[in-house]
Short mmCIF file of all heavy atoms in Angstrom, two decimals:
data_model
loop_
_atom_site.label_atom_id
_atom_site.label_comp_id
_atom_site.label_asym_id
_atom_site.label_seq_id
_atom_site.Cartn_x
_atom_site.Cartn_y
_atom_site.Cartn_z
N PRO G 1474 108.74 200.33 149.49
CA PRO G 1474 109.27 200.81 150.77
C PRO G 1474 108.80 199.92 151.92
O PRO G 1474 107.71 199.38 151.90
CB PRO G 1474 108.71 202.23 150.90
CG PRO G 1474 107.57 202.28 149.96
CD PRO G 1474 107.79 201.25 148.91
N GLU G 1477 107.33 201.47 158.42
CA GLU G 1477 108.03 201.91 159.61
C GLU G 1477 107.41 201.24 160.84
O GLU G 1477 106.19 201.22 161.00
CB GLU G 1477 107.92 203.44 159.77
CG GLU G 1477 108.83 204.18 158.84
CD GLU G 1477 110.30 203.88 159.10
OE1 GLU G 1477 110.72 203.78 160.26
OE2 GLU G 1477 111.03 203.74 158.10
N ALA G 1483 112.80 196.25 166.76
CA ALA G 1483 113.44 196.13 165.45
C ALA G 1483 112.73 195.04 164.66
O ALA G 1483 112.19 194.10 165.23
CB ALA G 1483 114.91 195.77 165.64
N TYR G 1486 113.36 191.73 157.83
CA TYR G 1486 112.64 191.16 156.70
C TYR G 1486 113.66 190.33 155.91
O TYR G 1486 114.69 190.87 155.50
CB TYR G 1486 112.07 192.28 155.82
CG TYR G 1486 111.12 193.17 156.58
CD1 TYR G 1486 111.59 194.29 157.26
CD2 TYR G 1486 109.77 192.88 156.61
CE1 TYR G 1486 110.72 195.10 157.97
CE2 TYR G 1486 108.88 193.69 157.31
CZ TYR G 1486 109.37 194.80 157.99
OH TYR G 1486 108.51 195.61 158.68
N GLY G 1496 120.27 174.54 142.46
CA GLY G 1496 121.00 175.44 141.58
C GLY G 1496 121.58 176.59 142.37
O GLY G 1496 121.53 176.60 143.59
N GLY G 1498 121.83 180.16 144.19
CA GLY G 1498 120.78 180.88 144.91
C GLY G 1498 121.34 182.10 145.61
O GLY G 1498 122.54 182.35 145.62
N ILE G 1513 121.83 193.29 154.23
CA ILE G 1513 122.87 192.34 153.85
C ILE G 1513 122.33 191.47 152.72
O ILE G 1513 121.12 191.32 152.56
CB ILE G 1513 123.35 191.45 155.00
CG1 ILE G 1513 122.25 190.51 155.47
CG2 ILE G 1513 123.90 192.27 156.14
CD1 ILE G 1513 122.76 189.32 156.22
N GLU G 1519 127.11 177.15 144.26
CA GLU G 1519 126.92 175.71 144.15
C GLU G 1519 125.42 175.38 144.14
O GLU G 1519 124.59 176.26 144.27
CB GLU G 1519 127.52 174.98 145.35
CG GLU G 1519 128.71 175.61 145.96
CD GLU G 1519 129.16 174.90 147.21
OE1 GLU G 1519 128.40 174.15 147.84
OE2 GLU G 1519 130.31 175.10 147.55
N THR G 1529 119.37 180.72 155.46
CA THR G 1529 120.63 181.45 155.45
C THR G 1529 120.39 182.94 155.62
O THR G 1529 121.15 183.62 156.33
CB THR G 1529 121.40 181.18 154.14
OG1 THR G 1529 121.67 179.78 154.07
CG2 THR G 1529 122.70 181.95 154.07
N ASP G 1539 124.61 194.28 164.76
CA ASP G 1539 125.15 194.64 166.07
C ASP G 1539 123.98 194.71 167.06
O ASP G 1539 123.10 195.56 166.92
CB ASP G 1539 125.84 196.00 165.98
CG ASP G 1539 126.49 196.42 167.28
OD1 ASP G 1539 126.22 195.80 168.32
OD2 ASP G 1539 127.27 197.38 167.24
N ALA G 1543 120.19 197.24 167.65
CA ALA G 1543 118.78 196.81 167.68
C ALA G 1543 118.70 195.55 168.56
O ALA G 1543 118.84 194.45 168.07
CB ALA G 1543 118.29 196.52 166.28
N LEU G 1546 115.09 191.48 168.13
CA LEU G 1546 115.12 191.18 166.70
C LEU G 1546 114.21 190.03 166.33
O LEU G 1546 114.66 188.91 166.15
CB LEU G 1546 116.55 190.89 166.26
CG LEU G 1546 116.77 190.69 164.78
CD1 LEU G 1546 116.39 191.95 164.00
CD2 LEU G 1546 118.22 190.34 164.51
#
Side-chain angles (χ1 to χ4, degrees):
E1477 284 297 320
Y1486 301 89
I1513 66 159
E1519 329 175 340
T1529 299
D1539 183 348
L1546 185 61

